């Protein structure tokens, strides 16, 4: 009789373990699907190095959700897109933004980063 009880308990524990395993796999698949959907957003990557950005002008489309990200190539920088209330730094390097207002906006470094800090500026054109 004890053997049957242990056998039933073993089968139930195995079934419970498989259920937890498949639930975890399902949760991971949902997280991967959400990440894949987020990665399909258009990207605006601002690369900052010592006292300059990688482009003199960046362009995005108006009304379209875009993932704006800051990549630090050299030095430590923080950027602000003036007039759009967007600030990025090494702790918060990206943000999903919908650019609603067409126009030209200034991007500049807001963390004093050395002798060329005052001229570390570029433009964002929202078309």
């Amino acid at each position: 009789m004890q053997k049957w009880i242990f056998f039933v308990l073993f089968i139930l524990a195995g079934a419970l373990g498989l259920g937890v395993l498949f639930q975890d796999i399902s949760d991971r698949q949902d997280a991967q699907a959400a990440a894949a959907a987020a990665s399909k957003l258009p990207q605006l990557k601002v690369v900052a190095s010592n006292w300059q950005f990688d482009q003199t002008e960046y362009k995005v489309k108006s009304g379209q959700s875009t993932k704006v990200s800051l990549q630090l190539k050299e030095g430590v920088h923080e950027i602000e897109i003036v007039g759009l209330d967007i600030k990025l730094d090494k702790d918060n390097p990206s943000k999903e933004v919908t650019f609603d207002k067409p126009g030209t906006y200034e991007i500049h470094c807001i963390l004093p980063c050395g002798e060329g800090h005052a001229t570390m500026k570029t433009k964002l054109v929202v078309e």
Side-chain angles (χ1 to χ4, degrees):
M1 175 91 168
Q2 274 185 325
K3 290 181 183 179
W4 282 103
I5 292 173
F6 283 121
F7 178 73
V8 170
L9 289 175
F10 180 75
I11 296 297
L12 288 174
L16 180 63
L18 286 174
V20 169
L21 176 66
F22 284 118
Q23 178 64 36
D24 187 46
I25 290 172
S26 177
D27 291 345
R28 285 185 197 166
Q29 287 175 339
D30 291 344
Q32 287 175 347
S39 69
K40 291 181 182 179
L41 286 175
Q43 303 276 325
L44 170 62
K45 187 186 300 184
V46 178
V47 179
S49 59
N50 286 337
W51 314 298
Q52 64 184 358
F53 294 102
D54 65 326
Q55 296 180 30
T56 57
E57 183 177 276
Y58 299 91
K59 292 185 179 184
V60 295
K61 292 185 179 183
S62 177
Q64 186 175 45
S65 289
T66 304
K67 182 177 179 182
V68 180
S69 62
L70 171 65
Q71 181 180 354
L72 302 176
K73 188 174 179 182
E74 292 178 316
V76 180
H77 306 280
E78 295 179 9
I79 64 168
E80 176 182 25
I81 303 177
V82 180
L84 296 177
D85 194 34
I86 298 172
K87 294 182 181 180
L88 301 175
D89 57 30
K90 69 177 183 172
D91 295 326
N92 298 303
S94 65
K95 184 175 183 177
E96 186 178 324
V97 180
T98 301
F99 295 99
D100 293 329
K101 301 176 191 172
T104 301
Y105 300 91
E106 181 179 280
I107 301 173
H108 64 262
C109 182
I110 56 174
L111 178 70
C113 57
E115 62 190 48
H117 170 73
T119 60
M120 192 169 172
K121 299 176 183 174
T122 187
K123 294 179 187 177
L124 170 66
V125 178
V126 180
E127 300 174 325

